Amino acid sequence: MVDHTHALSFGAAASSYDRFRPHYPESALRWALDGLRSARIVDLGAGTGILTRDVQALGHEVVPVEPDPGMRAQLAESTPGTTALAGSAEEVPLPDATADAVLVGTAYHWFDREPAHAEIARVLRPGGIFAPIWNIRDDSVGWVAELGRIAHLDDKSADLVEKSTDLGPAFGEVEAREFVHRTTLTPDEVLGMVRTRSYWLTASGEDQQRVERELGALLDTHPDLAGRETVELPYRTLVLRARRH
């Protein structure tokens, strides 16, 4: 079983989450959807709707599904005309074979995989696409690695991607591709992004103060960051894609 305690910690910071978390590059989404046009897409673990809005911008109908009420409320505020359904990867509140694709934006590592795979297969039409996607900071850049160390930004997703060669018996061969992009943040926005991470949200006040103190020192003194009004935070977007049998 998967411990959902941290997964459900984000609602308290939903507004900041929506503001500071990165979007998904169009090239990654188009590859994930493999040529689909005007399709019905389920955004599973939709959070505040960042991926939902990115996919809507490509002309698709998106049905967001999210277990956290705080995140659903923020999605409704940030995504006019769209209401997220209350549900989870293990209990998707949709009829059988009604989706052309199921996308998962930086949330698949929270799923209880066996029941989630069965539910995703159930709501997909035959031949439909299942595509987990992750935005992962590029820790090959020195200051980004230091940021991760200070703020305990351990991307479990990075390890999971390497191991996710099987998306369950209902799905065919898993393809993988990587895309690179950057987000531009002020130093204050870097702090804001850190405050949306599960480690921060569940840490003690003392640990939160330590992170802020050390991160402030990094931003003030690192040669790639000191004196900069904005910084470029590099990401690798990793996409897995498989079709339902």
Side-chain angles (χ1 to χ4, degrees):
M1 288 293 291
V2 175
D3 180 0
H4 294 287
T5 304
H6 282 199
L8 293 174
S9 66
F10 299 112
S15 178
S16 294
Y17 188 107
D18 195 65
R19 179 180 173 189
F20 298 126
R21 288 297 185 99
H23 284 260
Y24 297 85
E26 180 179 330
S27 56
L29 299 181
R30 290 192 181 280
W31 186 83
L33 294 171
D34 196 21
L36 285 176
R37 296 189 179 188
S38 302
R40 191 167 197 249
I41 314 297
V42 175
D43 178 6
L44 193 53
T48 64
I50 294 171
L51 178 60
T52 289
R53 295 191 295 278
D54 290 345
V55 176
Q56 286 177 336
L58 300 179
H60 299 290
E61 175 195 355
V62 183
V63 181
V65 176
E66 167 58 39
D68 188 304
M71 301 295 257
R72 292 198 303 272
Q74 182 63 50
L75 186 148
E77 182 176 329
S78 304
T79 318
T82 303
T83 301
L85 302 179
S88 68
E90 299 79 19
E91 294 186 37
V92 182
L94 290 169
D96 296 357
T98 52
D100 298 303
V102 172
L103 300 185
V104 183
T106 316
Y108 177 67
H109 49 288
W110 297 116
F111 293 178
D112 192 353
R113 292 174 66 182
E114 188 171 332
H117 290 161
E119 272 292 85
I120 291 163
R122 181 185 64 77
V123 302
L124 277 171
R125 62 173 177 77
I129 295 168
F130 174 29
I133 307 171
W134 290 266
N135 274 325
I136 299 174
R137 293 172 320 285
D138 186 355
D139 287 340
S140 68
V141 177
W143 76 264
V144 179
E146 187 65 6
L147 168 69
R149 183 195 66 77
I150 290 169
H152 291 260
L153 304 183
D154 299 323
D155 268 318
K156 291 177 289 186
S157 50
D159 294 332
L160 188 85
V161 172
E162 303 302 323
K163 300 171 184 174
S164 296
T165 56
D166 175 15
L167 296 179
F171 294 94
E173 179 184 0
V174 179
E175 301 172 88
R177 187 166 292 187
E178 180 175 308
F179 302 81
V180 295
H181 67 117
R182 293 172 177 267
T183 62
T184 302
L185 300 170
T186 67
D188 282 347
E189 287 171 341
V190 174
L191 283 165
M193 180 273 291
V194 166
R195 293 183 186 122
T196 71
R197 301 291 302 206
S198 61
Y199 174 82
W200 169 274
L201 293 169
T202 57
S204 67
E206 182 180 351
D207 283 342
Q208 289 179 343
Q209 290 172 13
R210 176 197 57 78
V211 169
E212 285 198 338
R213 184 173 59 252
E214 294 185 17
L215 187 53
L218 174 70
L219 292 165
D220 288 341
T221 62
H222 193 285
D224 292 341
L225 305 175
R228 300 283 183 90
E229 292 186 3
T230 60
V231 298
E232 297 286 316
L233 181 54
Y235 281 92
R236 296 180 298 129
T237 298
L238 304 178
V239 186
L240 304 180
R241 182 180 72 187
R243 287 191 177 272
R244 188 191 186 289
H245 292 310

